[in-house]
Amino acid sequence: MTEYKKVDQEVIAKIIQIVGRDNVLSEDYELVTYTRDHQWVKYTDLFACKPEVVVLPEKPSQVADIVQLANRERIPVVPCGARSGMTGNCVPIRGGIQVDMKKMNKIVEIDEENLVAVVQAGIALYRLDSELRKRRFICGHRPGSQPTATVGGSISTSGWSEYRMKYGDIREQVTSLKVVLPTGELIKLGGGASGKVEKTSVGYPGLKHLFIGTWGTLGIVTEATIRIFPKPEYAYSATIAFESFEGACEATTKMLLADIPFSYLLVGNRSSVEFSRRVSPTYPDVDSIMTFTLEGKREIVEASKNVALRMCAEFGAKDVGKEVGDATFLAGYDAWGPWVTAYGPGYPLDEEGAVPYKRAPAVAKEFEAILRKYRVDNIGIVVGLARQYPILGCFWRVDERNTQKWEDYKRVSKEIAEIYLREGGTVSMAHGLGTRREEEFLQVELANSYDLMKKIKVMLDPNNIMNPGRWGLDTAYDRKEARN
Amino acid sequence: MTPMSELQKFRDALYTCSACSCGFCREDCPMFRTAMKDSAHSRGLTSLMLAFLEGKVKPSGGLAKHLNLCSTCRWCTERCPINVEYATRPPNLLIDTPKLVELLRSELLENGFAPPKVRDLLLNIKRVYNPWGSAPDHRMEWAKGLPTEPSAESTSQRIFVCCAYSYDQRAREAVRAATTVFQKARLAFVPIGSEQWCCGDMCQRLGEKALSESLAEHNIQLLENAKARDVVCLSPHCYHTIKNGPQYRSAKLNVEHYTRTLAHAIDEGRLKLYKQMKNKVAFHDPCYLGRYNSVYDEPRKVLESIQGLKLVEMYRNRKMSFCCGGGSGRILTEEPPYVERAAEERVKEALEAGADTIATACPLCLIQLTSATKSLGLERQLVAKDVVELVSEAL
């Protein structure tokens, strides 16, 4: 493993020279607040991964100077945004410098004519969206963590949006990026001369994607140009009760083949209904619930809605109205309150991946058997939010303080992941592999492209300073050392 | 019960917040807007409190100074997805960060840690019974030159004039306006007088519970001597403390905020506003009136009864209103560095809403917002006023 230098007073003095004293945090009460994100952690390890110092840069040149300093001194650098990711990706597992990007939160430009916004990486999606809405636009990337997640965090985790069926995810919305490389150079990637062009065919067009979803292991995104969308004139949401989860999945496939332009569509199985009933006793006693949203011009939405409702009715489904819709807890952080409070203190976990719609009901039954086998709380299974290979989310609960169950929790996670792969899907469509299981599944899912990943990492980050210890990439440096 | 043992009771709630870790309480938290770091919002505070209980964070002056960034505005408590109705079922998982901050401040005070400005503020209260440190004899100076008040014997109602209204030059203008408005509406306006002490809000929030109790004891005695059963508070902070604070419970008082009194007077036709006005007014909800006591409609109703006045809403309003950053003693203890002062951000938001006046019903908000219009050089575009001042102009 790479040997790193400790952050001593001399290094802190140099950091202060770059960003100023007010932007450097080293007190214990500051550092403990940078020890976790939204991944489940064994309670006894809760404050174990602490940064040695936190830096809050205010401009890109400061980010570049910090990274150069770290590269020279061999100190790990881990960038972070809102720390609302579910994989532990921004937790400084090797200590070092945590670069908190939240002070870089300016909107550089909103180009209403060309439908793009140029923003610094630390701006919260909610804040960008609020500003855009004042001008009759919206930010298309709307994950469950929208009130807190930052643009930079969404990019470096390749975040996933609940309204992806219409707008896509952030990776499809980025036209260009400004990035500080592990050796400290500040570069621009993609988007043509202005950075605003959605597609160019000049050079390697995929270069910007090297920095989308790579957890800051290849550099720090400081600025992004992303597409924005007109604020929908009208939105219609429906909540439909089905007699079976199988029927709901089949109806979904048919509606997608009919090309109904959904923004959002999610189907919950019986256990998700039971959870909603536990929280709201008047909730209907049915086997499956579907919620969908259509957005756009009113006449288009009205026409689409009529087709969708007719197709659902062919499966004997019933529109159960807004009240039930409001009490339906299918996805998103806002559902976590009820999850937590309905089951007592603990971590409501979403084990997710992708399988085809027609396999979802059978796979859901297998998942539930696993949850029963290890006696963990089953909060419900949901499927949807894609036209093909939809996300299949299995919600269950971990009590991080229960050390006796810990091995069981890991087994549940592993057995569910194996099923996603067996079905030809992916172990994670939304949140990414958490540190809890990354080594086991990386090689299986990535096959021989894993070696290419390691080569890219070594080439861009020769001293392994950027977010080290991720995805087994440290081994790339062991071999390099062995060769030398 | 020591503050530490009381804090221990919230272990499950602190753990629950840590496990959820959603951070929805960040973006519109005035503490975060001021400091923009992870420790400076409810999620950060709950993790550092959990670490404190685990012995991973030691009591220190730095920690006390850090906690002083919280204005206890309760936005986080409203925004928290865990704080839903069922959260109050046992085990109580309600994440009431302002309460938790109060307990940790108290624990730190007992260990001898408090920022110098907080120490001064508490010392002022101990010495002269008001956080401003002004002489008790000067408490009624604002009333100089005003027409004679109705006799104290004629009513069982007393006006509780906040120390801020009594001692701050800007806020004094508002309480003078209140006198005129009450008299026009044929409502009694009998202040408790120069004997009155601070209600105890600031020292309670800063962790000095015992001091807050002794202030309450004195004020209750004064009210009992005057045989007063009804109290009208001009400040939402006094209103909340006297209405809901356990230290005032024994007095069994009927407590009302002045915006409610005026709204009733308008309903009953006792207060008539004849003058035509042209202001475009954005109402800034004071946290202790809105989020703490759910009074949202009355101040708006009073404003809307002014002829010609146009009420506009800021982007963040009512339950989700953005705090001016002046609560919990910060009116006197706020100090740099800040990324942006909460009050300045609020003033800009009022301008964005198209307002030429930002109205509020709290002396602390009034002082904060007035100073923000000045520091931003926006006095010509936007003026900060108390609701009662606008009413008095419309008489």
Side-chain angles (χ1 to χ4, degrees):
Chain A
M1 203 167 82
T2 320
E3 290 283 324
Y4 294 104
K5 180 179 169 162
K6 288 273 160 218
V7 176
D8 53 24
Q9 286 309 313
E10 207 179 310
V11 173
I12 290 184
K14 287 179 186 165
I15 296 175
I16 289 174
Q17 272 183 358
I18 299 170
V19 291
R21 188 173 296 277
D22 292 339
N23 290 330
V24 180
L25 313 174
S26 54
E27 301 287 344
D28 58 356
Y29 61 85
E30 302 280 9
L31 301 183
V32 292
T33 64
Y34 286 86
T35 49
R36 83 170 291 174
D37 66 353
H38 190 64
Q39 183 183 221
W40 42 304
V41 184
K42 207 188 232 177
Y43 186 76
T44 43
D45 296 339
L46 201 54
F47 302 105
C49 296
K50 233 176 11 180
E52 292 163 73
V53 65
V54 177
V55 183
L56 298 139
E58 292 179 15
K59 44 191 177 193
S61 61
Q62 291 177 339
V63 180
D65 290 348
I66 293 290
V67 173
Q68 267 174 27
L69 172 74
N71 192 38
R72 218 168 36 239
E73 304 273 355
R74 309 280 193 271
I75 300 168
V77 177
V78 185
C80 78
R83 296 189 305 108
S84 55
M86 299 180 71
T87 50
N89 61 74
C90 62
V91 176
I93 48 179
R94 302 257 191 276
I97 304 169
Q98 179 109 62
V99 178
D100 182 345
M101 298 296 284
K102 285 193 279 294
K103 274 194 181 173
M104 288 184 56
N105 61 355
K106 310 276 179 307
I107 297 176
V108 181
E109 186 193 356
I110 294 175
D111 185 341
E112 297 183 11
E113 203 178 317
N114 295 305
L115 294 172
V116 289
V118 185
V119 294
Q120 289 187 324
I123 190 168
L125 292 167
Y126 148 78
R127 198 155 287 277
L128 174 62
D129 192 58
S130 310
E131 289 305 317
L132 289 170
R133 278 173 193 271
K134 289 176 194 166
R135 301 166 194 227
R136 301 184 184 282
F137 290 93
I138 57 162
C139 174
H141 187 67
R142 283 185 275 169
S145 57
Q146 190 253 15
T148 182
T150 64
V151 169
S154 307
I155 291 172
S156 50
T157 54
S158 191
W160 162 91
S161 169
E162 291 193 348
Y163 292 78
R164 60 193 304 279
M165 290 170 85
K166 177 166 183 186
Y167 305 98
D169 302 320
I170 193 121
R171 76 200 152 96
E172 289 143 296
Q173 294 162 10
V174 169
T175 63
S176 70
L177 292 176
K178 283 189 185 161
V179 174
V180 170
L181 294 180
T183 36
E185 301 93 335
L186 184 58
I187 59 163
K188 173 195 159 271
L189 296 136
S194 61
K196 295 175 182 174
V197 187
E198 196 186 325
K199 178 182 182 298
T200 82
S201 294
V202 179
Y204 287 175
L207 270 186
K208 71 180 176 201
H209 287 281
L210 271 183
F211 301 89
I212 300 176
T214 43
W215 291 9
T217 54
L218 300 180
I220 302 181
V221 175
T222 61
E223 190 181 290
T225 305
I226 57 174
R227 292 169 58 208
I228 59 174
F229 299 84
K231 188 173 159 185
E233 174 190 291
Y234 177 62
Y236 170 81
S237 293
T239 306
I240 318 277
F242 281 80
E243 279 163 15
S244 72
F245 189 45
E246 287 81 356
C249 288
E250 211 182 320
T252 305
T253 318
K254 282 207 162 176
M255 287 195 289
L256 292 173
L257 278 173
D259 211 12
I260 298 171
F262 295 110
S263 301
Y264 174 97
L265 185 150
L266 202 60
V267 181
N269 76 341
R270 173 73 201 176
S271 50
S272 83
V273 170
E274 273 163 15
F275 163 65
S276 294
R277 280 172 61 76
R278 187 172 178 145
V279 178
S280 316
T282 55
Y283 200 84
D285 189 4
V286 294
D287 270 351
S288 179
I289 284 279
M290 171 193 289
T291 57
F292 68 73
T293 302
L294 292 153
E295 293 174 318
K297 289 294 280 179
R298 185 179 275 269
E299 49 266 54
I300 300 175
V301 171
E302 291 287 353
S304 307
K305 162 193 146 185
N306 292 337
V307 179
L309 292 179
R310 199 181 59 233
M311 292 183 85
C312 287
E314 283 167 16
F315 285 83
K318 284 189 196 108
D319 186 343
V320 282
K322 193 180 174 304
E323 218 167 278
V324 176
D326 291 344
T328 299
F329 304 107
L330 287 183
Y333 270 90
D334 269 318
W336 296 19
W339 289 346
V340 168
T341 48
Y343 290 88
Y347 179 96
L349 175 75
D350 169 11
E351 206 69 78
E352 52 76 30
V355 300
Y357 275 109
K358 69 170 185 191
R359 291 289 302 148
V363 169
K365 281 189 184 138
E366 284 189 70
F367 286 174
E368 292 193 323
I370 295 171
L371 300 183
R372 271 197 305 274
K373 183 166 83 181
Y374 292 104
R375 294 197 187 124
V376 294
D377 291 323
N378 173 359
I379 309 180
I381 293 178
V382 296
V383 65
L385 306 186
R387 295 191 177 273
Q388 50 88 266
Y389 272 96
I391 188 160
L392 181 69
C394 174
F395 293 91
W396 51 291
R397 194 177 76 94
V398 164
D399 184 348
E400 296 164 311
R401 299 179 296 187
N402 190 343
T403 43
Q404 286 172 339
K405 285 287 273 186
W406 201 255
E407 288 309 311
D408 281 354
Y409 293 151
K410 279 165 71 177
R411 275 183 215 117
V412 171
S413 182
K414 186 172 178 237
E415 288 182 24
I416 288 178
E418 281 166 348
I419 296 174
Y420 286 123
L421 287 179
R422 187 199 68 202
E423 296 293 325
T426 170
V427 173
S428 172
M429 182 177 172
H431 313 133
L433 279 176
T435 42
R436 63 188 184 273
R437 56 180 192 181
E438 61 189 26
E439 272 142 41
E440 281 172 275
F441 292 101
L442 262 163
Q443 303 210 24
V444 185
E445 192 171 324
L446 297 181
N448 49 10
S449 66
Y450 185 44
D451 278 341
L452 179 62
M453 223 170 107
K454 288 183 179 177
K455 283 179 192 156
I456 294 171
K457 168 73 175 165
V458 174
M459 185 187 71
L460 288 179
D461 185 7
N463 296 314
N464 195 18
I465 59 151
M466 287 308 307
N467 202 356
R470 302 296 174 188
W471 297 327
L473 291 171
D474 282 1
T475 54
Y477 295 87
D478 294 344
R479 264 187 276 161
K480 190 184 156 207
E481 277 159 23
R483 270 202 311 274
N484 290 343
Chain B
M1 192 181 269
T2 64
M4 192 62 174
S5 57
E6 227 178 307
L7 202 55
Q8 290 280 7
K9 285 200 302 188
F10 293 94
R11 201 178 253 276
D12 271 351
L14 288 171
Y15 162 65
T16 302
C17 177
S18 163
C20 171
S21 234
C22 72
F24 281 18
C25 50
R26 192 191 72 228
E27 268 302 303
D28 284 331
C29 163
M31 183 181 186
F32 177 75
R33 305 302 301 163
T34 305
M36 291 218 175
K37 51 188 180 180
D38 267 5
S39 54
H41 64 286
S42 180
R43 177 178 77 170
L45 290 172
T46 55
S47 9
L48 80 80
M49 283 180 208
L50 194 58
F52 188 84
L53 291 181
E54 295 290 341
K56 311 268 184 200
V57 167
K58 300 272 171 276
S60 69
L63 177 57
K65 192 173 173 209
H66 176 69
L67 283 184
N68 197 41
L69 287 171
C70 173
S71 63
T72 62
C73 77
R74 221 182 203 177
W75 178 79
C76 52
T77 317
E78 282 296 338
R79 186 64 193 87
C80 174
I82 292 172
N83 282 353
V84 286
E85 192 196 329
Y86 350 96
T88 52
R89 290 180 196 165
N92 188 344
L93 300 176
L94 201 73
I95 297 152
D96 184 358
T97 308
K99 170 81 188 157
L100 298 168
V101 165
E102 216 175 283
L103 289 173
L104 187 52
R105 280 174 177 164
S106 195
E107 172 68 18
L108 292 174
L109 261 182
E110 284 191 4
N111 282 279
F113 297 108
K117 285 196 167 192
V118 169
R119 210 179 288 262
D120 289 349
L121 187 156
L122 294 173
L123 203 65
N124 283 340
I125 300 180
K126 274 183 198 152
R127 275 189 317 117
V128 287
Y129 318 116
N130 72 77
W132 267 254
S134 304
D137 310 355
H138 296 179
R139 183 176 280 276
M140 289 300 291
E141 259 186 6
W142 59 266
K144 266 188 192 162
L146 287 175
T148 335
E149 59 202 41
S151 96
E153 285 78 41
S154 65
T155 174
S156 68
Q157 184 215 65
R158 287 293 177 274
I159 302 284
F160 199 93
V161 182
C162 174
C163 305
Y165 278 127
S166 302
Y167 294 111
D168 182 87
Q169 289 300 334
R170 171 66 191 92
R172 274 180 181 182
E173 293 168 28
V175 66
R176 286 172 72 88
T179 323
T180 320
V181 172
F182 272 65
Q183 281 172 356
K184 280 275 180 188
R186 285 170 283 120
L187 292 165
F189 194 91
V190 186
I192 297 176
S194 51
E195 302 271 276
Q196 183 202 304
W197 289 358
C198 171
C199 68
D201 163 69
M202 283 192 203
C203 43
Q204 166 94 35
R205 310 295 151 228
L206 291 168
E208 256 288 17
K209 205 169 142 197
L211 180 57
S212 177
E213 282 164 1
S214 70
L215 296 170
E217 218 169 280
H218 170 86
N219 288 330
I220 292 172
Q221 193 59 55
L222 285 183
L223 290 164
E224 269 175 15
N225 294 348
K227 297 196 172 53
R229 309 264 18 113
D230 307 309
V231 176
V232 173
C233 294
L234 298 186
S235 160
H237 292 264
C238 310
Y239 171 60
H240 176 69
T241 307
I242 301 175
K243 185 168 175 259
N244 306 317
Q247 64 271 47
Y248 283 93
R249 198 164 293 150
S250 66
K252 296 195 175 75
L253 298 160
N254 304 316
V255 195
E256 199 170 61
H257 185 255
Y258 87 82
T259 49
R260 268 202 171 150
T261 320
L262 294 190
H264 290 157
I266 290 167
D267 274 348
E268 291 167 0
R270 281 144 66 93
L271 180 59
K272 291 199 170 70
L273 307 171
Y274 296 106
K275 205 165 154 192
Q276 190 77 20
M277 294 186 51
K278 285 184 185 159
N279 307 44
K280 275 178 101 179
V281 181
F283 180 68
H284 163 81
D285 291 277
C287 308
Y288 278 75
L289 191 61
R291 276 191 285 267
Y292 277 85
N293 287 291
S294 305
V295 179
Y296 298 107
D297 295 329
E298 285 84 348
R300 287 177 170 81
K301 191 174 168 186
V302 171
L303 288 170
E304 278 177 326
S305 66
I306 298 176
Q307 295 180 40
L309 181 146
K310 187 167 184 267
L311 191 63
V312 293
E313 287 292 351
M314 287 184 270
Y315 193 76
R316 296 172 283 187
N317 58 53
R318 292 176 178 255
K319 255 188 189 177
M320 290 296 130
S321 172
F322 183 62
C323 170
C324 73
S328 185
R330 281 183 61 72
I331 187 83
L332 296 167
T333 59
E334 189 184 27
E335 57 188 330
Y338 14 68
V339 179
E340 184 168 25
R341 277 181 67 205
E344 292 183 356
E345 186 172 328
R346 194 58 166 161
V347 159
K348 288 183 195 161
E349 195 174 341
L351 275 178
E352 215 171 66
D356 54 34
T357 308
I358 180 164
T360 185
C362 165
L364 307 186
C365 301
L366 180 67
I367 300 167
Q368 285 284 85
L369 297 169
T370 306
S371 98
T373 54
K374 282 184 186 158
S375 60
L376 290 171
L378 294 170
E379 297 131 291
R380 287 195 177 177
Q381 285 101 304
L382 188 82
V383 53
K385 293 223 165 135
D386 199 296
V387 169
V388 80
E389 292 180 295
L390 288 164
V391 173
S392 132
E393 286 168 27
L395 286 170

